[in-house]
PDB file of all heavy atoms in Angstrom:
ATOM      1  N   ASN A   1     -63.320 -48.212 -44.805  1.00  0.00           N
ATOM      2  CA  ASN A   1     -62.326 -48.832 -45.674  1.00  0.00           C
ATOM      3  C   ASN A   1     -62.866 -48.993 -47.086  1.00  0.00           C
ATOM      4  O   ASN A   1     -62.156 -48.787 -48.075  1.00  0.00           O
ATOM      5  CB  ASN A   1     -61.922 -50.255 -45.145  1.00  0.00           C
ATOM      6  CG  ASN A   1     -61.020 -50.122 -43.946  1.00  0.00           C
ATOM      7  OD1 ASN A   1     -60.387 -49.145 -43.720  1.00  0.00           O
ATOM      8  ND2 ASN A   1     -61.024 -51.197 -43.158  1.00  0.00           N
ATOM      9  N   THR A   2     -64.154 -49.350 -47.217  1.00  0.00           N
ATOM     10  CA  THR A   2     -64.782 -49.514 -48.535  1.00  0.00           C
ATOM     11  C   THR A   2     -64.759 -48.171 -49.298  1.00  0.00           C
ATOM     12  O   THR A   2     -64.284 -48.132 -50.431  1.00  0.00           O
ATOM     13  CB  THR A   2     -66.262 -49.993 -48.411  1.00  0.00           C
ATOM     14  OG1 THR A   2     -66.270 -51.281 -47.875  1.00  0.00           O
ATOM     15  CG2 THR A   2     -66.952 -49.907 -49.717  1.00  0.00           C
ATOM     16  N   CYS A   3     -65.140 -47.077 -48.651  1.00  0.00           N
ATOM     17  CA  CYS A   3     -65.123 -45.812 -49.333  1.00  0.00           C
ATOM     18  C   CYS A   3     -63.736 -45.343 -49.697  1.00  0.00           C
ATOM     19  O   CYS A   3     -63.504 -44.852 -50.847  1.00  0.00           O
ATOM     20  CB  CYS A   3     -65.787 -44.740 -48.442  1.00  0.00           C
ATOM     21  SG  CYS A   3     -67.552 -44.923 -48.155  1.00  0.00           S
ATOM     22  N   GLU A   4     -62.769 -45.575 -48.796  1.00  0.00           N
ATOM     23  CA  GLU A   4     -61.394 -45.228 -49.121  1.00  0.00           C
ATOM     24  C   GLU A   4     -60.858 -45.959 -50.308  1.00  0.00           C
ATOM     25  O   GLU A   4     -60.195 -45.403 -51.212  1.00  0.00           O
ATOM     26  CB  GLU A   4     -60.577 -45.391 -47.862  1.00  0.00           C
ATOM     27  CG  GLU A   4     -59.119 -44.860 -48.023  1.00  0.00           C
ATOM     28  CD  GLU A   4     -58.332 -44.973 -46.732  1.00  0.00           C
ATOM     29  OE1 GLU A   4     -58.981 -44.901 -45.618  1.00  0.00           O
ATOM     30  OE2 GLU A   4     -57.104 -45.010 -46.803  1.00  0.00           O
ATOM     31  N   ASN A   5     -61.146 -47.318 -50.347  1.00  0.00           N
ATOM     32  CA  ASN A   5     -60.695 -48.148 -51.418  1.00  0.00           C
ATOM     33  C   ASN A   5     -61.326 -47.771 -52.713  1.00  0.00           C
ATOM     34  O   ASN A   5     -60.675 -47.806 -53.798  1.00  0.00           O
ATOM     35  CB  ASN A   5     -60.917 -49.653 -51.039  1.00  0.00           C
ATOM     36  CG  ASN A   5     -60.038 -50.154 -49.945  1.00  0.00           C
ATOM     37  OD1 ASN A   5     -58.917 -49.609 -49.757  1.00  0.00           O
ATOM     38  ND2 ASN A   5     -60.490 -51.109 -49.210  1.00  0.00           N
ATOM     39  N   LEU A   6     -62.606 -47.416 -52.700  1.00  0.00           N
ATOM     40  CA  LEU A   6     -63.237 -47.021 -53.895  1.00  0.00           C
ATOM     41  C   LEU A   6     -62.679 -45.731 -54.526  1.00  0.00           C
ATOM     42  O   LEU A   6     -62.393 -45.673 -55.746  1.00  0.00           O
ATOM     43  CB  LEU A   6     -64.783 -46.769 -53.625  1.00  0.00           C
ATOM     44  CG  LEU A   6     -65.622 -47.997 -53.445  1.00  0.00           C
ATOM     45  CD1 LEU A   6     -66.995 -47.665 -52.830  1.00  0.00           C
ATOM     46  CD2 LEU A   6     -65.839 -48.766 -54.738  1.00  0.00           C
ATOM     47  N   VAL A   7     -62.415 -44.747 -53.643  1.00  0.00           N
ATOM     48  CA  VAL A   7     -61.768 -43.519 -54.048  1.00  0.00           C
ATOM     49  C   VAL A   7     -60.392 -43.766 -54.629  1.00  0.00           C
ATOM     50  O   VAL A   7     -60.004 -43.238 -55.700  1.00  0.00           O
ATOM     51  CB  VAL A   7     -61.785 -42.437 -52.978  1.00  0.00           C
ATOM     52  CG1 VAL A   7     -60.934 -41.230 -53.372  1.00  0.00           C
ATOM     53  CG2 VAL A   7     -63.231 -42.087 -52.604  1.00  0.00           C
ATOM     54  N   ASN A   8     -59.628 -44.524 -53.879  1.00  0.00           N
ATOM     55  CA  ASN A   8     -58.254 -44.841 -54.369  1.00  0.00           C
ATOM     56  C   ASN A   8     -58.232 -45.569 -55.748  1.00  0.00           C
ATOM     57  O   ASN A   8     -57.474 -45.248 -56.594  1.00  0.00           O
ATOM     58  CB  ASN A   8     -57.531 -45.742 -53.347  1.00  0.00           C
ATOM     59  CG  ASN A   8     -57.163 -45.027 -52.022  1.00  0.00           C
ATOM     60  OD1 ASN A   8     -57.125 -43.734 -52.053  1.00  0.00           O
ATOM     61  ND2 ASN A   8     -56.920 -45.688 -51.001  1.00  0.00           N
ATOM     62  N   ALA A   9     -59.182 -46.538 -55.924  1.00  0.00           N
ATOM     63  CA  ALA A   9     -59.332 -47.219 -57.213  1.00  0.00           C
ATOM     64  C   ALA A   9     -59.659 -46.227 -58.289  1.00  0.00           C
ATOM     65  O   ALA A   9     -59.071 -46.251 -59.389  1.00  0.00           O
ATOM     66  CB  ALA A   9     -60.358 -48.278 -57.092  1.00  0.00           C
ATOM     67  N   TYR A  10     -60.632 -45.393 -58.037  1.00  0.00           N
ATOM     68  CA  TYR A  10     -61.015 -44.361 -59.003  1.00  0.00           C
ATOM     69  C   TYR A  10     -59.774 -43.450 -59.384  1.00  0.00           C
ATOM     70  O   TYR A  10     -59.544 -43.226 -60.602  1.00  0.00           O
ATOM     71  CB  TYR A  10     -62.169 -43.488 -58.483  1.00  0.00           C
ATOM     72  CG  TYR A  10     -62.654 -42.438 -59.368  1.00  0.00           C
ATOM     73  CD1 TYR A  10     -63.577 -42.640 -60.371  1.00  0.00           C
ATOM     74  CD2 TYR A  10     -62.092 -41.122 -59.293  1.00  0.00           C
ATOM     75  CE1 TYR A  10     -64.001 -41.647 -61.217  1.00  0.00           C
ATOM     76  CE2 TYR A  10     -62.459 -40.133 -60.134  1.00  0.00           C
ATOM     77  CZ  TYR A  10     -63.436 -40.384 -61.105  1.00  0.00           C
ATOM     78  OH  TYR A  10     -63.879 -39.385 -61.977  1.00  0.00           O
ATOM     79  N   ASP A  11     -59.137 -42.919 -58.426  1.00  0.00           N
ATOM     80  CA  ASP A  11     -58.000 -42.044 -58.690  1.00  0.00           C
ATOM     81  C   ASP A  11     -56.867 -42.747 -59.441  1.00  0.00           C
ATOM     82  O   ASP A  11     -56.288 -42.119 -60.332  1.00  0.00           O
ATOM     83  CB  ASP A  11     -57.438 -41.509 -57.354  1.00  0.00           C
ATOM     84  CG  ASP A  11     -58.357 -40.536 -56.651  1.00  0.00           C
ATOM     85  OD1 ASP A  11     -59.302 -39.982 -57.340  1.00  0.00           O
ATOM     86  OD2 ASP A  11     -58.173 -40.230 -55.469  1.00  0.00           O
ATOM     87  N   LEU A  12     -56.663 -43.987 -59.164  1.00  0.00           N
ATOM     88  CA  LEU A  12     -55.624 -44.807 -59.881  1.00  0.00           C
ATOM     89  C   LEU A  12     -56.084 -44.959 -61.336  1.00  0.00           C
ATOM     90  O   LEU A  12     -55.262 -44.894 -62.247  1.00  0.00           O
ATOM     91  CB  LEU A  12     -55.417 -46.145 -59.210  1.00  0.00           C
ATOM     92  CG  LEU A  12     -54.533 -46.122 -57.999  1.00  0.00           C
ATOM     93  CD1 LEU A  12     -54.615 -47.461 -57.193  1.00  0.00           C
ATOM     94  CD2 LEU A  12     -53.037 -45.916 -58.362  1.00  0.00           C
ATOM     95  N   PHE A  13     -57.312 -45.325 -61.512  1.00  0.00           N
ATOM     96  CA  PHE A  13     -57.846 -45.515 -62.898  1.00  0.00           C
ATOM     97  C   PHE A  13     -57.691 -44.205 -63.655  1.00  0.00           C
ATOM     98  O   PHE A  13     -57.258 -44.198 -64.830  1.00  0.00           O
ATOM     99  CB  PHE A  13     -59.306 -45.928 -62.973  1.00  0.00           C
ATOM    100  CG  PHE A  13     -59.454 -47.429 -62.638  1.00  0.00           C
ATOM    101  CD1 PHE A  13     -60.416 -47.832 -61.782  1.00  0.00           C
ATOM    102  CD2 PHE A  13     -58.692 -48.344 -63.297  1.00  0.00           C
ATOM    103  CE1 PHE A  13     -60.631 -49.216 -61.590  1.00  0.00           C
ATOM    104  CE2 PHE A  13     -58.879 -49.719 -63.054  1.00  0.00           C
ATOM    105  CZ  PHE A  13     -59.839 -50.160 -62.176  1.00  0.00           C
ATOM    106  N   VAL A  14     -58.002 -43.054 -63.111  1.00  0.00           N
ATOM    107  CA  VAL A  14     -57.856 -41.732 -63.775  1.00  0.00           C
ATOM    108  C   VAL A  14     -56.371 -41.547 -64.173  1.00  0.00           C
ATOM    109  O   VAL A  14     -56.077 -41.122 -65.325  1.00  0.00           O
ATOM    110  CB  VAL A  14     -58.402 -40.628 -62.938  1.00  0.00           C
ATOM    111  CG1 VAL A  14     -58.051 -39.260 -63.541  1.00  0.00           C
ATOM    112  CG2 VAL A  14     -59.936 -40.715 -62.807  1.00  0.00           C
ATOM    113  N   GLU A  15     -55.475 -41.795 -63.186  1.00  0.00           N
ATOM    114  CA  GLU A  15     -54.065 -41.685 -63.480  1.00  0.00           C
ATOM    115  C   GLU A  15     -53.572 -42.565 -64.547  1.00  0.00           C
ATOM    116  O   GLU A  15     -52.785 -42.087 -65.464  1.00  0.00           O
ATOM    117  CB  GLU A  15     -53.257 -41.938 -62.160  1.00  0.00           C
ATOM    118  CG  GLU A  15     -51.812 -41.677 -62.218  1.00  0.00           C
ATOM    119  CD  GLU A  15     -51.115 -42.001 -60.897  1.00  0.00           C
ATOM    120  OE1 GLU A  15     -51.681 -41.623 -59.881  1.00  0.00           O
ATOM    121  OE2 GLU A  15     -50.026 -42.672 -60.980  1.00  0.00           O
ATOM    122  N   ARG A  16     -53.987 -43.816 -64.547  1.00  0.00           N
ATOM    123  CA  ARG A  16     -53.557 -44.748 -65.540  1.00  0.00           C
ATOM    124  C   ARG A  16     -54.151 -44.392 -66.928  1.00  0.00           C
ATOM    125  O   ARG A  16     -53.475 -44.539 -67.939  1.00  0.00           O
ATOM    126  CB  ARG A  16     -53.922 -46.192 -65.184  1.00  0.00           C
ATOM    127  CG  ARG A  16     -53.374 -46.711 -63.844  1.00  0.00           C
ATOM    128  CD  ARG A  16     -51.879 -46.597 -63.770  1.00  0.00           C
ATOM    129  NE  ARG A  16     -51.389 -47.116 -62.504  1.00  0.00           N
ATOM    130  CZ  ARG A  16     -51.007 -46.373 -61.429  1.00  0.00           C
ATOM    131  NH1 ARG A  16     -51.165 -45.037 -61.509  1.00  0.00           N
ATOM    132  NH2 ARG A  16     -50.573 -46.945 -60.393  1.00  0.00           N
ATOM    133  N   LEU A  17     -55.401 -43.986 -66.964  1.00  0.00           N
ATOM    134  CA  LEU A  17     -56.036 -43.578 -68.220  1.00  0.00           C
ATOM    135  C   LEU A  17     -55.233 -42.389 -68.857  1.00  0.00           C
ATOM    136  O   LEU A  17     -55.056 -42.361 -70.013  1.00  0.00           O
ATOM    137  CB  LEU A  17     -57.477 -43.189 -67.946  1.00  0.00           C
ATOM    138  CG  LEU A  17     -58.528 -44.386 -67.809  1.00  0.00           C
ATOM    139  CD1 LEU A  17     -59.828 -43.805 -67.322  1.00  0.00           C
ATOM    140  CD2 LEU A  17     -58.687 -45.093 -69.179  1.00  0.00           C
ATOM    141  N   ASN A  18     -54.927 -41.485 -68.010  1.00  0.00           N
ATOM    142  CA  ASN A  18     -54.177 -40.281 -68.467  1.00  0.00           C
ATOM    143  C   ASN A  18     -52.789 -40.725 -69.081  1.00  0.00           C
ATOM    144  O   ASN A  18     -52.322 -40.051 -70.002  1.00  0.00           O
ATOM    145  CB  ASN A  18     -53.921 -39.306 -67.398  1.00  0.00           C
ATOM    146  CG  ASN A  18     -55.214 -38.460 -67.126  1.00  0.00           C
ATOM    147  OD1 ASN A  18     -56.039 -38.289 -67.965  1.00  0.00           O
ATOM    148  ND2 ASN A  18     -55.381 -38.034 -65.863  1.00  0.00           N
ATOM    149  N   GLY A  19     -52.249 -41.783 -68.502  1.00  0.00           N
ATOM    150  CA  GLY A  19     -50.965 -42.249 -68.998  1.00  0.00           C
ATOM    151  C   GLY A  19     -51.077 -42.989 -70.303  1.00  0.00           C
ATOM    152  O   GLY A  19     -50.104 -42.946 -71.156  1.00  0.00           O
ATOM    153  N   VAL A  20     -52.130 -43.690 -70.530  1.00  0.00           N
ATOM    154  CA  VAL A  20     -52.306 -44.523 -71.668  1.00  0.00           C
ATOM    155  C   VAL A  20     -53.049 -43.855 -72.843  1.00  0.00           C
ATOM    156  O   VAL A  20     -52.737 -43.970 -73.984  1.00  0.00           O
ATOM    157  CB  VAL A  20     -53.072 -45.858 -71.363  1.00  0.00           C
ATOM    158  CG1 VAL A  20     -53.474 -46.678 -72.524  1.00  0.00           C
ATOM    159  CG2 VAL A  20     -52.191 -46.706 -70.420  1.00  0.00           C
ATOM    160  N   CYS A  21     -54.044 -43.022 -72.518  1.00  0.00           N
ATOM    161  CA  CYS A  21     -54.887 -42.427 -73.476  1.00  0.00           C
ATOM    162  C   CYS A  21     -54.462 -40.973 -73.617  1.00  0.00           C
ATOM    163  O   CYS A  21     -54.840 -40.042 -72.895  1.00  0.00           O
ATOM    164  CB  CYS A  21     -56.377 -42.478 -73.088  1.00  0.00           C
ATOM    165  SG  CYS A  21     -56.949 -44.128 -72.844  1.00  0.00           S
ATOM    166  N   LYS A  22     -53.576 -40.731 -74.633  1.00  0.00           N
ATOM    167  CA  LYS A  22     -52.876 -39.397 -74.817  1.00  0.00           C
ATOM    168  C   LYS A  22     -53.783 -38.411 -75.453  1.00  0.00           C
ATOM    169  O   LYS A  22     -53.502 -37.244 -75.457  1.00  0.00           O
ATOM    170  CB  LYS A  22     -51.634 -39.574 -75.520  1.00  0.00           C
ATOM    171  CG  LYS A  22     -50.615 -40.463 -74.868  1.00  0.00           C
ATOM    172  CD  LYS A  22     -50.131 -39.933 -73.579  1.00  0.00           C
ATOM    173  CE  LYS A  22     -48.973 -40.684 -72.970  1.00  0.00           C
ATOM    174  NZ  LYS A  22     -48.582 -40.279 -71.639  1.00  0.00           N
ATOM    175  N   ASP A  23     -54.873 -38.826 -76.134  1.00  0.00           N
ATOM    176  CA  ASP A  23     -55.725 -37.943 -76.833  1.00  0.00           C
ATOM    177  C   ASP A  23     -57.191 -38.552 -76.826  1.00  0.00           C
ATOM    178  O   ASP A  23     -57.428 -39.622 -76.371  1.00  0.00           O
ATOM    179  CB  ASP A  23     -55.279 -37.694 -78.284  1.00  0.00           C
ATOM    180  CG  ASP A  23     -55.040 -38.968 -79.059  1.00  0.00           C
ATOM    181  OD1 ASP A  23     -55.714 -40.032 -78.799  1.00  0.00           O
ATOM    182  OD2 ASP A  23     -54.215 -38.965 -80.010  1.00  0.00           O
ATOM    183  N   THR A  24     -58.101 -37.778 -77.431  1.00  0.00           N
ATOM    184  CA  THR A  24     -59.508 -38.161 -77.471  1.00  0.00           C
ATOM    185  C   THR A  24     -59.699 -39.495 -78.216  1.00  0.00           C
ATOM    186  O   THR A  24     -60.433 -40.402 -77.746  1.00  0.00           O
ATOM    187  CB  THR A  24     -60.305 -37.100 -78.113  1.00  0.00           C
ATOM    188  OG1 THR A  24     -60.215 -35.876 -77.362  1.00  0.00           O
ATOM    189  CG2 THR A  24     -61.813 -37.498 -78.121  1.00  0.00           C
ATOM    190  N   ALA A  25     -58.999 -39.655 -79.316  1.00  0.00           N
ATOM    191  CA  ALA A  25     -59.149 -40.847 -80.147  1.00  0.00           C
ATOM    192  C   ALA A  25     -58.739 -42.166 -79.355  1.00  0.00           C
ATOM    193  O   ALA A  25     -59.375 -43.170 -79.442  1.00  0.00           O
ATOM    194  CB  ALA A  25     -58.388 -40.728 -81.480  1.00  0.00           C
ATOM    195  N   SER A  26     -57.663 -41.998 -78.621  1.00  0.00           N
ATOM    196  CA  SER A  26     -57.163 -43.168 -77.902  1.00  0.00           C
ATOM    197  C   SER A  26     -58.052 -43.556 -76.713  1.00  0.00           C
ATOM    198  O   SER A  26     -58.236 -44.750 -76.377  1.00  0.00           O
ATOM    199  CB  SER A  26     -55.715 -43.025 -77.453  1.00  0.00           C
ATOM    200  OG  SER A  26     -55.625 -41.869 -76.561  1.00  0.00           O
ATOM    201  N   LEU A  27     -58.627 -42.529 -76.099  1.00  0.00           N
ATOM    202  CA  LEU A  27     -59.601 -42.776 -75.011  1.00  0.00           C
ATOM    203  C   LEU A  27     -60.877 -43.463 -75.558  1.00  0.00           C
ATOM    204  O   LEU A  27     -61.389 -44.445 -74.980  1.00  0.00           O
ATOM    205  CB  LEU A  27     -60.056 -41.504 -74.294  1.00  0.00           C
ATOM    206  CG  LEU A  27     -61.073 -41.561 -73.153  1.00  0.00           C
ATOM    207  CD1 LEU A  27     -60.437 -42.456 -72.009  1.00  0.00           C
ATOM    208  CD2 LEU A  27     -61.382 -40.235 -72.593  1.00  0.00           C
ATOM    209  N   ILE A  28     -61.374 -42.991 -76.729  1.00  0.00           N
ATOM    210  CA  ILE A  28     -62.499 -43.649 -77.374  1.00  0.00           C
ATOM    211  C   ILE A  28     -62.217 -45.074 -77.800  1.00  0.00           C
ATOM    212  O   ILE A  28     -63.024 -45.997 -77.620  1.00  0.00           O
ATOM    213  CB  ILE A  28     -62.982 -42.840 -78.571  1.00  0.00           C
ATOM    214  CG1 ILE A  28     -63.530 -41.508 -78.161  1.00  0.00           C
ATOM    215  CG2 ILE A  28     -63.982 -43.625 -79.440  1.00  0.00           C
ATOM    216  CD1 ILE A  28     -63.790 -40.480 -79.361  1.00  0.00           C
ATOM    217  N   GLU A  29     -60.997 -45.306 -78.325  1.00  0.00           N
ATOM    218  CA  GLU A  29     -60.613 -46.683 -78.698  1.00  0.00           C
ATOM    219  C   GLU A  29     -60.553 -47.559 -77.502  1.00  0.00           C
ATOM    220  O   GLU A  29     -60.956 -48.701 -77.544  1.00  0.00           O
ATOM    221  CB  GLU A  29     -59.225 -46.588 -79.396  1.00  0.00           C
ATOM    222  CG  GLU A  29     -58.723 -47.984 -79.842  1.00  0.00           C
ATOM    223  CD  GLU A  29     -57.289 -47.978 -80.329  1.00  0.00           C
ATOM    224  OE1 GLU A  29     -56.640 -46.927 -80.235  1.00  0.00           O
ATOM    225  OE2 GLU A  29     -56.783 -49.036 -80.789  1.00  0.00           O
ATOM    226  N   PHE A  30     -59.940 -47.093 -76.408  1.00  0.00           N
ATOM    227  CA  PHE A  30     -59.833 -47.833 -75.219  1.00  0.00           C
ATOM    228  C   PHE A  30     -61.224 -48.263 -74.699  1.00  0.00           C
ATOM    229  O   PHE A  30     -61.487 -49.460 -74.405  1.00  0.00           O
ATOM    230  CB  PHE A  30     -59.091 -47.074 -74.128  1.00  0.00           C
ATOM    231  CG  PHE A  30     -58.827 -47.817 -72.829  1.00  0.00           C
ATOM    232  CD1 PHE A  30     -57.614 -48.442 -72.640  1.00  0.00           C
ATOM    233  CD2 PHE A  30     -59.807 -47.800 -71.832  1.00  0.00           C
ATOM    234  CE1 PHE A  30     -57.392 -49.171 -71.461  1.00  0.00           C
ATOM    235  CE2 PHE A  30     -59.572 -48.562 -70.690  1.00  0.00           C
ATOM    236  CZ  PHE A  30     -58.333 -49.232 -70.480  1.00  0.00           C
ATOM    237  N   TYR A  31     -62.117 -47.261 -74.601  1.00  0.00           N
ATOM    238  CA  TYR A  31     -63.496 -47.562 -74.094  1.00  0.00           C
ATOM    239  C   TYR A  31     -64.194 -48.532 -75.011  1.00  0.00           C
ATOM    240  O   TYR A  31     -64.725 -49.563 -74.516  1.00  0.00           O
ATOM    241  CB  TYR A  31     -64.319 -46.240 -74.129  1.00  0.00           C
ATOM    242  CG  TYR A  31     -65.741 -46.525 -73.905  1.00  0.00           C
ATOM    243  CD1 TYR A  31     -66.274 -46.919 -72.663  1.00  0.00           C
ATOM    244  CD2 TYR A  31     -66.634 -46.369 -74.933  1.00  0.00           C
ATOM    245  CE1 TYR A  31     -67.625 -47.134 -72.483  1.00  0.00           C
ATOM    246  CE2 TYR A  31     -67.990 -46.645 -74.783  1.00  0.00           C
ATOM    247  CZ  TYR A  31     -68.433 -47.021 -73.542  1.00  0.00           C
ATOM    248  OH  TYR A  31     -69.768 -47.306 -73.392  1.00  0.00           O
ATOM    249  N   ASN A  32     -64.159 -48.338 -76.332  1.00  0.00           N
ATOM    250  CA  ASN A  32     -64.904 -49.286 -77.237  1.00  0.00           C
ATOM    251  C   ASN A  32     -64.400 -50.693 -77.145  1.00  0.00           C
ATOM    252  O   ASN A  32     -65.174 -51.638 -77.095  1.00  0.00           O
ATOM    253  CB  ASN A  32     -64.850 -48.715 -78.673  1.00  0.00           C
ATOM    254  CG  ASN A  32     -65.849 -47.601 -78.899  1.00  0.00           C
ATOM    255  OD1 ASN A  32     -66.950 -47.586 -78.316  1.00  0.00           O
ATOM    256  ND2 ASN A  32     -65.517 -46.672 -79.760  1.00  0.00           N
ATOM    257  N   LYS A  33     -63.051 -50.805 -77.197  1.00  0.00           N
ATOM    258  CA  LYS A  33     -62.575 -52.228 -77.148  1.00  0.00           C
ATOM    259  C   LYS A  33     -62.835 -52.850 -75.831  1.00  0.00           C
ATOM    260  O   LYS A  33     -63.144 -54.041 -75.769  1.00  0.00           O
ATOM    261  CB  LYS A  33     -61.011 -52.248 -77.441  1.00  0.00           C
ATOM    262  CG  LYS A  33     -60.535 -53.605 -77.577  1.00  0.00           C
ATOM    263  CD  LYS A  33     -59.340 -53.768 -78.522  1.00  0.00           C
ATOM    264  CE  LYS A  33     -58.993 -55.241 -78.701  1.00  0.00           C
ATOM    265  NZ  LYS A  33     -57.694 -55.460 -79.389  1.00  0.00           N
ATOM    266  N   VAL A  34     -62.766 -52.173 -74.737  1.00  0.00           N
ATOM    267  CA  VAL A  34     -63.065 -52.743 -73.431  1.00  0.00           C
ATOM    268  C   VAL A  34     -64.536 -53.156 -73.330  1.00  0.00           C
ATOM    269  O   VAL A  34     -64.839 -54.273 -72.862  1.00  0.00           O
ATOM    270  CB  VAL A  34     -62.661 -51.790 -72.298  1.00  0.00           C
ATOM    271  CG1 VAL A  34     -63.279 -52.167 -70.921  1.00  0.00           C
ATOM    272  CG2 VAL A  34     -61.114 -51.739 -72.160  1.00  0.00           C
ATOM    273  N   VAL A  35     -65.498 -52.245 -73.654  1.00  0.00           N
ATOM    274  CA  VAL A  35     -66.873 -52.648 -73.487  1.00  0.00           C
ATOM    275  C   VAL A  35     -67.294 -53.729 -74.474  1.00  0.00           C
ATOM    276  O   VAL A  35     -68.251 -54.496 -74.190  1.00  0.00           O
ATOM    277  CB  VAL A  35     -67.879 -51.457 -73.537  1.00  0.00           C
ATOM    278  CG1 VAL A  35     -67.597 -50.516 -72.347  1.00  0.00           C
ATOM    279  CG2 VAL A  35     -67.820 -50.682 -74.822  1.00  0.00           C
ATOM    280  N   GLU A  36     -66.707 -53.788 -75.642  1.00  0.00           N
ATOM    281  CA  GLU A  36     -67.088 -54.794 -76.598  1.00  0.00           C
ATOM    282  C   GLU A  36     -66.401 -56.130 -76.403  1.00  0.00           C
ATOM    283  O   GLU A  36     -66.971 -57.141 -76.617  1.00  0.00           O
ATOM    284  CB  GLU A  36     -66.745 -54.264 -78.010  1.00  0.00           C
ATOM    285  CG  GLU A  36     -67.682 -53.107 -78.455  1.00  0.00           C
ATOM    286  CD  GLU A  36     -67.165 -52.422 -79.767  1.00  0.00           C
ATOM    287  OE1 GLU A  36     -66.158 -52.989 -80.368  1.00  0.00           O
ATOM    288  OE2 GLU A  36     -67.666 -51.377 -80.098  1.00  0.00           O
ATOM    289  N   GLY A  37     -65.132 -56.092 -75.904  1.00  0.00           N
ATOM    290  CA  GLY A  37     -64.359 -57.323 -75.905  1.00  0.00           C
ATOM    291  C   GLY A  37     -64.062 -57.916 -74.569  1.00  0.00           C
ATOM    292  O   GLY A  37     -63.663 -59.121 -74.526  1.00  0.00           O
ATOM    293  N   VAL A  38     -64.276 -57.251 -73.463  1.00  0.00           N
ATOM    294  CA  VAL A  38     -64.002 -57.777 -72.159  1.00  0.00           C
ATOM    295  C   VAL A  38     -65.239 -58.610 -71.713  1.00  0.00           C
ATOM    296  O   VAL A  38     -66.391 -58.114 -71.789  1.00  0.00           O
ATOM    297  CB  VAL A  38     -63.706 -56.739 -71.031  1.00  0.00           C
ATOM    298  CG1 VAL A  38     -63.636 -57.324 -69.745  1.00  0.00           C
ATOM    299  CG2 VAL A  38     -62.391 -56.035 -71.417  1.00  0.00           C
TER     300      VAL A  38
END
């Protein structure tokens, strides 16, 4: 169950990132704000 849940979480994050980060600049912005501000 742990392995399945980890893979499902990863796949969901990839799908959601593709939906929100439409280009390289938006992916970089997302990453920087998350690691600096969360």
Side-chain angles (χ1 to χ4, degrees):
N1 287 337
T2 293
C3 290
E4 189 173 333
N5 291 332
L6 286 165
V7 171
N8 289 341
Y10 177 87
D11 289 344
L12 281 165
F13 280 135
V14 169
E15 184 181 317
R16 302 306 182 259
L17 283 166
N18 283 331
V20 168
C21 302
K22 300 295 188 187
D23 54 26
T24 301
S26 59
L27 181 60
I28 291 171
E29 178 189 6
F30 184 94
Y31 168 74
N32 281 326
K33 187 151 184 190
V34 164
V35 295
E36 290 167 8
V38 172

